[in-house]
Amino acid sequence: EKSSLLYEALDGTFYRGHAKPECRSLMNVTFNLPSEDLDKAFLKGAEARDLFELKGHRSVGGMRASIYNAMPIEGVRALRDYMVEFRKQNS
């Protein structure tokens, strides 16, 4: 359920997922924004909403949302809502 919330926010939008749909992780949702400037703005806005540790791996870049069992569904919904808001403001 948690990964579906985020993948629905990613698919068909200005976010670009790293993995092919058939190879996607249920625990780590990775994606890029259209530019590095938007990456920085996304991270800054996320932290202002108490959404932390979203910066992707240094060799891949982009974002990485780890949604293991300890991450409550409310946190995933908050990230999804922020992603939708950010996309609307920056598309």
Side-chain angles (χ1 to χ4, degrees):
E1 179 182 5
K2 293 188 285 187
S3 63
S4 292
L5 287 170
L6 296 183
Y7 286 125
E8 286 172 10
L10 290 175
D11 290 340
T13 69
F14 87 132
Y15 298 106
R16 296 181 308 259
H18 289 182
K20 295 178 184 177
E22 64 272 13
C23 299
R24 290 175 166 173
S25 171
L26 298 178
M27 297 290 123
N28 292 293
V29 177
T30 57
F31 58 96
N32 281 359
L33 285 87
S35 71
E36 286 186 30
D37 287 339
L38 285 173
D39 282 350
K40 291 174 187 174
F42 182 88
L43 289 171
K44 184 176 180 178
E47 289 182 3
R49 290 163 178 77
D50 293 328
L51 300 167
F52 298 99
E53 303 299 326
L54 292 169
K55 188 173 181 181
H57 189 275
R58 67 181 175 272
S59 67
V60 179
M63 305 299 137
R64 177 178 180 240
S66 293
I67 53 174
Y68 291 95
N69 292 338
M71 170 57 83
I73 190 78
E74 295 80 16
V76 177
R77 286 185 184 125
L79 175 57
R80 186 258 336 258
D81 293 348
Y82 172 58
M83 290 170 68
V84 170
E85 175 188 329
F86 188 86
R87 178 187 74 227
K88 287 178 182 176
Q89 293 174 349
N90 293 281
S91 291

